[in-house]
Amino acid sequence: MKQKEPRESEVQKFIIDYLTLKGHFAFRVNVQGVPLHQGGKIVGFRPSPMKGIADILGVLGKDVRGWHKGTFLAIEVKKDSKQKTSKEQSVFLTNVLRKGGIALVATSIDDCVKMGL
């Protein structure tokens, strides 16, 4: 019997729990639009403030592999390695890297471990 793959939201939770156990501060960013209500019904969505923002943002809680405590962290989570980042997601991650932060695409906790987090 084939083992069920975890949902992307489960992978996000696993990564946040792992980072927390390692002493870092990390949280999930909800990029879904905010519902607009009128007369008790949802009539649309206000868009997210920034397209492409990573699924998990955080700050290192200790020095790790050349990065110092306090370094900004951005992780885009994908269900599997076949999924690609959108143009906006790639731009966001590139901007984080250019400003000295840590940015990665992760499909599991293993990707965080490989980065030394």
Side-chain angles (χ1 to χ4, degrees), residues 18 65 67 104-105 107-117:
Y18 168 79
R65 202 187 262 180
W67 295 297
L104 70 136
V105 177
T107 58
S108 71
I109 292 172
D110 292 341
D111 294 313
C112 297
V113 172
K114 288 175 193 171
M115 288 289 290
L117 298 174

Side-chain angles (χ1 to χ4, degrees), residues 13-30:
K13 183 181 179 339
F14 297 153
I15 290 173
I16 290 169
D17 289 348
Y18 168 79
L19 292 170
T20 301
L21 283 170
K22 290 301 224 171
H24 307 301
F25 173 63
F27 57 94
R28 165 83 173 96
V29 176
N30 189 356

Side-chain angles (χ1 to χ4, degrees), residues 70-97:
T71 300
F72 183 77
L73 173 65
I75 302 173
E76 180 60 40
V77 179
K78 297 296 181 192
K79 184 177 177 179
D80 59 53
S81 59
K82 295 175 191 161
Q83 288 184 308
K84 302 295 179 198
T85 56
S86 69
K87 178 182 176 185
E88 292 87 356
Q89 290 167 336
S90 294
V91 167
F92 182 86
L93 294 174
T94 298
N95 282 330
V96 169
L97 288 171

Side-chain angles (χ1 to χ4, degrees), residues 58-70:
V59 179
L60 294 185
K62 59 184 178 182
D63 291 356
V64 210
R65 202 187 262 180
W67 295 297
H68 298 291
K69 178 179 179 179

